[in-house]
Each structure stands twice: as C-alpha cells, then as structure tokens.
Amino acid sequence: MIWYPWLNQPYRQILSQHQAGRGHHALLLQALPGMGDASLVWGISRWLMCQRRDGLKSCGECHACQLMQAHTHPDWYSLEAEKGKSSIGIDAVRSITEKLYHHAQQGGAKVVWIPDAAQLTEAAANALLKTLEEPPKNTWFLLCSQQPAQLLATLRSRCLNFHLSPPDEAQSLNWLLKQVSTTEQDGITALRLSGGAPAAALSLLEEKRWAARQSLCNALPTALREDMLSLLPALNTDDAAQRTGWLCALLVDALKWQQGGGQYIANVDRQALIADMALQLPTSALHESVRQWMVCRDRLLNVVAVNRELLLTDQLLGWEQMLTPAASGQTE
C-alpha cells in the first residue's frame, strides 16, 4: 500500500483515540476516490494487529506484523463483492461474522474491512447490524464509503463517522508536482476536477487520460457552433461517465465566469474556452445544459446494460436542439 503524507494527521487522530481506550469498534470512513482511504485502513489495521506496538507505529517484526505484510493474517478479513458481482450478499456477511465469535487464531485483534459499504445489500447490511451493535471483544470494523448517506441509517448510527477531507490545495499541488512533470496550471486543474483528491489528480494527469480530456476540450467549440455530433467520438468510450463529468465542469465554469467568479473555475488551463462559452450561451441555456448532462451521466453510471452510444447520440441531438436558439442570444 502506498502511504500518502495527508494521511498522517487522520492516522494519528484515530489511533490516539485507541491509545486512550476510546477507539470506536466501527469506523466509517468517508473519502473521495484518490484520497487513499485503503492505505489509511491498512495502516490502522497493522497497528491494531501488532503485538509489540511502538507508540503509534506497528513494530513490523512480530509474527502478526509479518502475517499482515504477507497478507495472510487469519484474523484480518476483507468483505467485498466477489469478482464479477456488484453487491455483497447476506451469506458473505454471515460467513465472516460467524468467524468473529470464535477465538482469534493469533490471540489478538480481529479486523473486518469493508472497502465499499454501499455494496452491501439491504439484507446483508441488516445481518451486519447485530454484530456491529454487540461486537465480540477486541473486534474492529473499518468501513469505507464515498457517500455514507446512501447507506442504511441504522448502519450509519452504529458507526463513528470520519470524513477524510482533501488536503489544502497548495499542499496537494506541491505533492503532485513532485510526482509528475506537469505545469502548475495543469496540476491545479487536475486537482479541482478530482475534488481535491491528490492521487485521483495524479491518475487524471496520466498521458492517455489527460490527452482524452484535451481532445474533448478541443472538440467542444466546433460542436457548439457547427455539428454537435462531432463531439460523440470524444465522449463514447468506456469512461464516458468521467468524460461527461469533464463536460459538466466546463459548463459550470462558464456559469461562474458569467457571474464574475473566474478565480473559482476548475478548468484553469482552458480560460479562453470558458470565456467563449460564457459569451456565446445565455445563463438559462447553461443551467439547462448542466442539468441535462448530469442526468445523462447518472444514467451512464446507474442504468444496467445501457446502450451508451444511443444514449449519448440522443443527448447530443437534444442538446443541439436546445442550444440552437440560444447560441445566437445574449447572456442573461
């Protein structure tokens, strides 16, 4: 697991509670992709399992630490969807909770990690509730979720909620520029498009992904003025949901620009494009465009077996029709 510098403070905060005897048996970590919640969970797990702790550090030498390093510790469990499935069923929960009531094989702690608690079906979540309410001695649950509000309220109420917030932009940019050769402007853009999550920004700056975003930005002016379907090749890919997210960010930036909020835009490397969109399209058209593309993105993410090309084609044609009278209008 890669350790990130912005994890140091939350790591100390959480483990200090354990040292003081106030550690909660069920921790619910809320984090954006690219914040390193898996690394934080791994660090906490190693400390909980360690038999010879050195303050807030695991010793790295005891038998438990060696087992953790080899990913073979019998009392550490990862509860996630099986390969090819998108949900965690009740049988998987029961299988692990049954083991928790047995004596720890290594005589120490037992830890259950749920990388994405949203994968729990309602039945599985309900099956977990009793164990969360009355856990066996020295048993710890570490749950992760991007959007805890989507989880059962009864499940959330049995956990200590901890928000792993993005670090300060200047700190994140400093780290990012040490990892990849890029400009400060591109680094800030990648961070803002990633919600401030540094590792997600680093992934966005990978050559192919960044080139895909640039292609979308370059195709947009022609699409808005001449042929909207010319935008289809830049959108119709396996990561279409992310690309429509980039498009939404550009539209929102145009709205900010119209309101004099240029310093708050995400796409700082595309100010000319944003200014042009702000001048070309009325506020009402931009608002409706954002709404339509957010609906489209939601369908790409959540409709099972969606016909992506048909959905995007229909969306582009509808967008063109909506913008036709607006393109020649004045900003409201």
Side-chain angles (χ1 to χ4, degrees), residues 67 123 130 178 199 204 285 293 323:
L67 289 172
K130 182 173 175 55
K178 290 178 180 177
L204 176 54
W293 280 107
L323 291 182

Side-chain angles (χ1 to χ4, degrees), residues 1 6 32 41 45 119 141 171 181 209 223 250 294 303:
M1 288 281 184
W6 57 88
L32 291 169
V41 164
S45 298
Q119 290 184 334
F141 291 88
Q171 177 189 348
S181 177
R209 187 167 298 178
L250 288 163
M294 290 294 286
V303 176

